[in-house]
Amino acid sequence: MSRYYYFAATLPSLQFGAPPPMSSGEYLARAKAQLSEADFAALEAAVLASGPEGAPVEATGRDELLAEYYAWERSARNELARLRAKRLARQAEAYLRPARPGAEAGARDESAFRAAQAAFQAETPLEGELSLERARWARLEELASLKTFDLARLAAYRLELEVLERLALLKAERGEAGYRDTYAAVLGQAQTSEETGESR
């Protein structure tokens, strides 16, 4: 397995909730000059959430960490589908997908189950999203804990950057929603003042 000592050592550290030090696009641009063609293709294919067809084969076929992460991620999505189906009094089976190729669609991963429950029980959709991002981060940290200079660590870094980008977007949305609420309240007070002034 290839080792990328210099490139990995130049990467700024990441912290959950902090602003991303670079975009995932910038990261890929830097990585392209450092990685082998096959490793870069795997890194480029790695994304935070698997698509309808499952995990990107280019990524999972090249790195075990990515295969493990996507199995967990698909399991969490299955658990969310079960919880939503139960709330709507529907059968969940039609919405479940195998976590791994050839695996049974109903298989349960306890870590993914806990992550899905925490997100599902959140008070608001935004809090649910934040809970899921926190769980993704924790899973990536767990998987990459013994990795340092190889593709696995670089792939985890890319996905963690995506988490930070999503958090920044969620914070921006929360700020915009707060602004709209404040603006509406100010307009409401102004209108009330005008009406009160007219009645004098």
Side-chain angles (χ1 to χ4, degrees):
M1 177 175 286
S2 299
R3 301 281 179 177
Y4 300 101
Y5 298 102
Y6 173 76
F7 180 54
T10 64
L11 296 173
S13 62
L14 303 179
Q15 183 178 356
F16 184 82
M22 69 185 95
S23 71
S24 53
E26 290 170 317
Y27 175 62
L28 284 177
R30 290 175 63 179
K32 189 168 188 174
Q34 304 291 327
L35 275 61
S36 71
E37 192 175 322
D39 281 352
F40 179 74
L43 188 67
E44 189 176 33
V47 289
L48 200 54
S50 59
E53 302 303 316
V57 177
E58 301 90 339
T60 56
R62 188 83 183 157
D63 188 83
E64 186 179 332
L65 178 143
L66 290 171
E68 288 298 317
Y69 168 75
Y70 285 121
W72 177 89
E73 189 262 345
R74 181 53 63 97
S75 295
R77 292 171 95 177
N78 282 340
E79 295 301 341
L80 282 170
R82 282 189 178 102
L83 291 165
R84 289 175 181 141
K86 185 175 180 181
R87 176 187 281 172
L88 298 170
R90 294 185 179 174
Q91 295 296 317
E93 284 68 27
Y95 306 102
L96 304 182
R97 300 291 179 267
R100 300 174 190 274
E104 186 179 319
R108 177 161 275 172
D109 176 310
E110 284 304 313
S111 168
F113 174 69
R114 289 191 301 272
Q117 273 198 320
F120 191 74
Q121 292 170 354
E123 291 184 15
T124 66
L126 176 60
E127 290 302 319
E129 286 292 326
L130 292 172
S131 176
L132 271 180
E133 297 308 326
R134 193 174 296 110
R136 283 178 169 139
W137 184 278
R139 184 61 178 146
L140 287 165
E141 286 288 293
E142 180 185 349
L143 290 171
S145 61
L146 299 176
K147 311 290 184 181
T148 49
F149 303 108
D150 59 7
L151 177 62
R153 179 63 256 179
L154 299 178
Y157 192 93
R158 169 161 160 70
L159 298 184
E160 287 174 345
L161 267 178
E162 287 197 4
V163 169
L164 295 182
E165 288 175 323
R166 282 200 34 81
L167 289 176
L169 183 62
L170 290 171
K171 284 180 183 177
E173 288 173 0
R174 178 192 278 177
E176 187 178 331
Y179 169 78
R180 284 196 305 267
D181 291 345
T182 302
Y183 186 69
V186 168
L187 284 180
Q189 287 176 345
Q191 186 175 8
T192 302
S193 297
E194 286 178 11
E195 289 170 355
T196 305
E198 287 174 0
S199 64
R200 285 180 184 171

